[in-house]
Amino acid sequence: MANLPPSLSISSASFGGGPAPPSPVASAAAAAAAAAAAAVGQPPKDRKMASAEQLVLDLCDPELRENALLDLSKKRDIFQDLAPLLWYSYGTIAVLLQEIVSIYPALSPPTLSPGASNRVCNALALLQCVASHPDTRILFLNAHIPLYLYPFLNTTSKTRPFEYLRLTSLGVIGALVKVDDTEVISFLLQTEIIPLCLRTMEMGSELSKTVATFIVQKILLDDVGLRYICATAERFFAVGSVLANMVVSLAEQPSTRLLKHIIRCYLRLSDNPRACGALRSCLPEMLKDGTFNNCLRDDPATRRWLQQLLHNVAGGNLVASLQAGGLDHMMGN
């Protein structure tokens, strides 16, 4: 598991911290037979599968691996059963992990080249495919593969190779939490994912911040996740302070999609009575004074979330006074 620097050591402490037997994808003879069948008019779907199988086989050949990673990552959406193919093919997941581990030395000091970043991001894209598939998601978790990505989320360099690496790693975690599953949330809560996401929410690009905030949002939306974050004042204020700082930043550089996830996080926190009480004193004024009226003008769903948040935190009287001051128009009432 990644070691956090001293600045996040307190948060890290606060947040805690049987697959089927592998089988060969295809023999060389089977690959040759598939190619021969394609030449005499094999149906398109079968040709795609034969192509996927050959590319997966190529991953185990160091000389062919880079091109295979690139091709598979580009075509992963058209290979319907690519995730089980990757998981159960002999040695393939080990190869993808080898690609990840091989660049650890370039993380500190930060010497990661664009080419190396692109290559490992192609490997991460294939792991995202495995994390997304219902037949391999839990196997992926049981193997603790997400932990291999945490060193990438623990980096601070803002150069493009590192930002791309962080964003693609977050995409893998985002794929895990996208489907509501308490088992996934419970696993992540045993790791450093929350402080690592908070780090990205503080220093990442807009897109990385958005994905990291989405992950925190999905954790909060699960009852287990909400109870966990609201269990101690330290955890609550670690999350709340980062959200508040992001709101201040968005006043200068607005982003509707990021603001949407921030408001949804606050709204979910307000479902917990203790957190709701704390929000009465620490909810950013900019969410109350109409600062983001224009930003949310074309987003009725987020406007409703904000209205509900204000109602939860301060009751109907505050909402009524804000509406009298111009919030009513923004809410579309």
Side-chain angles (χ1 to χ4, degrees):
M1 201 176 295
N3 292 320
L4 293 175
S7 62
L8 278 185
S9 59
I10 294 179
S11 295
S12 178
S14 301
F15 289 107
S23 59
V25 177
S27 64
V40 294
Q42 190 178 13
K45 183 176 179 180
D46 291 343
R47 285 203 300 271
K48 286 181 183 177
M49 199 60 195
S51 173
E53 291 176 351
Q54 185 56 57
L55 286 171
V56 171
L57 285 173
D58 289 348
L59 289 175
C60 292
D61 185 333
E63 294 185 0
L64 302 176
R65 184 176 302 163
E66 185 170 6
N67 286 335
L69 285 170
L70 179 60
D71 286 349
L72 280 169
S73 66
K74 284 182 177 179
K75 300 174 182 177
R76 63 188 187 278
D77 291 335
I78 66 172
F79 294 146
Q80 196 169 19
D81 295 317
L82 180 59
L85 187 63
L86 290 168
W87 186 263
Y88 291 110
S89 58
Y90 181 76
T92 301
I93 297 299
V95 164
L96 297 179
L97 294 179
Q98 183 181 25
E99 288 292 313
I100 288 171
V101 172
S102 69
I103 68 161
Y104 283 175
L107 301 182
S108 182
T111 56
L112 185 65
S113 68
S117 176
N118 288 339
R119 176 165 172 160
V120 76
C121 284
N122 288 333
L124 290 171
L126 298 184
L127 290 182
Q128 180 175 336
C129 178
V130 175
S132 302
H133 198 284
D135 293 343
T136 52
R137 182 184 301 112
I138 298 304
L139 300 174
F140 184 84
L141 276 184
N142 289 342
H144 290 193
I145 292 177
L147 301 184
Y148 287 90
L149 280 55
Y150 286 9
F152 302 156
L153 301 180
N154 200 31
T155 58
T156 57
S157 173
K158 295 187 178 183
T159 61
R160 183 170 296 181
F162 281 91
E163 178 58 28
Y164 187 26
L165 187 61
R166 276 192 298 270
L167 180 59
T168 313
S169 300
L170 288 167
V172 179
I173 308 300
L176 284 172
V177 302
K178 190 173 183 180
V179 177
D180 298 330
D181 188 334
T182 297
E183 187 173 356
V184 171
I185 301 303
S186 297
F187 170 85
L188 292 176
L189 290 176
Q190 298 174 48
T191 74
E192 295 172 339
I193 191 59
I194 295 176
L196 289 173
C197 281
L198 294 180
R199 168 188 288 278
T200 302
M201 290 159 65
E202 288 183 311
M203 52 75 63
S205 67
E206 180 202 334
L207 189 52
S208 289
K209 287 180 178 180
T210 301
V211 180
T213 309
F214 168 77
I215 293 169
V216 172
Q217 172 189 317
K218 294 296 284 186
I219 291 173
L220 282 167
L221 287 174
D222 188 278
D223 289 342
V224 171
L226 180 63
R227 285 196 301 270
Y228 179 85
I229 289 177
C230 297
T232 69
E234 189 176 14
R235 291 177 188 169
F236 168 79
F237 284 110
V239 174
S241 63
V242 171
L243 291 174
N245 290 338
M246 293 171 72
V247 170
V248 173
S249 297
L250 287 179
E252 301 174 1
Q253 294 182 314
S255 166
T256 301
R257 63 181 176 181
L258 180 52
L259 181 61
K260 174 179 181 177
H261 293 300
I262 293 171
I263 290 174
R264 190 65 185 91
C265 286
Y266 272 125
L267 177 58
R268 179 55 173 163
L269 285 170
S270 74
D271 288 339
N272 179 277
R274 292 175 62 202
C276 189
L279 287 174
R280 292 191 176 98
S281 61
C282 66
L283 189 68
E285 288 297 322
M286 291 176 178
L287 292 178
K288 308 174 188 177
D289 63 10
T291 297
F292 298 105
N293 283 16
N294 289 333
C295 187
L296 298 178
R297 191 174 302 278
D298 299 321
D299 191 342
T302 305
R303 293 201 306 268
R304 287 193 296 271
W305 290 345
L306 179 56
Q307 185 179 36
Q308 185 62 51
L309 168 64
L310 296 176
H311 184 276
N312 291 354
V313 170
N317 291 336
L318 176 60
V319 174
S321 65
L322 290 171
Q323 288 175 342
L327 187 62
D328 184 64
H329 176 70
M330 186 186 81
M331 294 301 178
N333 294 330

